[in-house]
Amino acid sequence: MMQLAIYFCYLAVSLALLMNIWRLYIGPNVVDRVMAADTLVINSMVLLILYGIQTKTTLYFESALLLAMFSFISTVAYCRFLMRGDIVE
Amino acid sequence: MFEMPANVWEWVVIANLLIGGVFVFIGSLGLLRLNNTMARMHAPSKATTIGIGGVLVASVFYFYQVVDEPYRIFPAQDLLVVFFLFLTAPVSAHFMAKAYLHKHPPQESDLPQPTNGVGWATFKSLKSTHDHP
């Protein structure tokens, strides 16, 4: 039952990753692509957490935290660059 | 694979996993299917955040109550990830909306024409303050 729920989550998150990659490919403007990249990193973080639940290790929690931080910082850097033409002034 | 859950914590973990997976899927479906950029911004910043919260809360309950004894810890990192994501998702959505408005500034011709022939007050007052300082 638990394994079945984890497999269902794997399926949902994998389809979500495919849809994010498709939006990253067709995105009409650059903000759509930034948004798709942000969501892609966060969904792959969910995939790491699911793998940690399945294999009963707590090894991947720190990497999940690092992925969340890098996703936020890269989104802010991209948007700063779009708005100001520069990241650190 | 099909053995029934032993106690109520396992049911809690399964419910949180299912809710999280469904919300993550709905968030990315909205990112793909909605029809303009400002509408597409809603789906990842709300639905995906709730889905990630579900999966991470399932992970917290799993490692704190369900898993066999030598692996049992309290995963504070997961709660930190949930806290961090719930804090930063609105900030990054706000940044992306500001970048989009900077790239595509709103035009008066995008709005429907008002019926009484006066025009939109925002654009009107901007123009009048520029004309008569």
Side-chain angles (χ1 to χ4, degrees):
Chain A
M1 201 69 179
M2 179 81 103
Q3 284 297 313
L4 213 60
I6 290 175
Y7 285 144
F8 172 77
C9 273
Y10 274 138
L11 182 68
V13 176
S14 310
L15 289 177
L17 284 170
L18 284 179
M19 289 190 286
N20 291 334
I21 291 172
W22 186 243
R23 175 52 74 190
L24 190 66
Y25 178 64
I26 65 171
N29 57 48
V30 65
V31 181
D32 276 322
R33 294 202 164 102
V34 172
M35 202 160 26
D38 183 31
T39 316
L40 195 72
V41 176
I42 287 182
N43 283 348
S44 52
M45 192 198 81
V46 176
L47 216 56
L48 265 184
I49 294 287
L50 285 176
Y51 187 68
I53 293 178
Q54 196 189 12
T55 57
K56 298 180 182 169
T57 79
T58 57
L59 187 62
Y60 300 102
F61 288 168
E62 282 86 5
S63 52
L65 190 55
L66 276 178
L67 272 183
M69 284 184 176
F70 274 123
S71 141
F72 172 66
I73 290 172
S74 63
T75 307
V76 170
Y78 274 129
C79 292
R80 284 295 284 185
F81 183 73
L82 287 178
M83 279 192 286
R84 306 297 294 258
D86 207 347
I87 297 174
V88 180
E89 295 169 10
Chain B
M1 184 191 284
F2 290 103
E3 71 269 23
M4 288 305 280
N7 53 7
V8 67
W9 291 109
E10 211 157 336
W11 281 113
V12 170
V13 172
I14 289 170
N16 274 311
L17 276 176
L18 293 182
I19 291 171
V22 167
F23 268 95
V24 166
F25 181 76
I26 289 173
S28 295
L29 189 69
L31 178 67
L32 186 63
R33 288 300 300 273
L34 291 177
N35 57 1
N36 64 43
T37 304
M38 288 303 233
R40 262 178 242 133
M41 207 165 287
H42 289 284
S45 66
K46 297 175 188 69
T48 304
T49 309
I50 284 294
I52 287 165
V55 174
L56 287 170
V57 167
S59 166
V60 169
F61 281 131
Y62 182 74
F63 282 102
Y64 190 47
Q65 293 286 346
V66 177
V67 77
D68 303 330
E69 191 52 57
Y71 302 106
R72 190 169 286 190
I73 60 164
F74 180 70
Q77 298 100 324
D78 273 4
L79 290 181
L80 274 180
V81 174
V82 172
F83 182 69
F84 186 79
L85 278 175
F86 275 56
L87 208 62
T88 58
V91 179
S92 59
H94 177 76
F95 262 100
M96 284 187 282
K98 280 192 78 166
Y100 179 74
L101 285 180
H102 180 75
K103 283 286 181 188
H104 307 86
Q107 304 290 328
E108 193 172 2
S109 57
D110 295 341
L111 296 172
Q113 195 64 37
T115 51
N116 54 2
V118 176
W120 287 95
T122 312
F123 293 99
K124 204 79 175 169
S125 64
L126 274 180
K127 193 171 291 179
S128 67
T129 51
H130 278 301
D131 286 346
H132 311 288

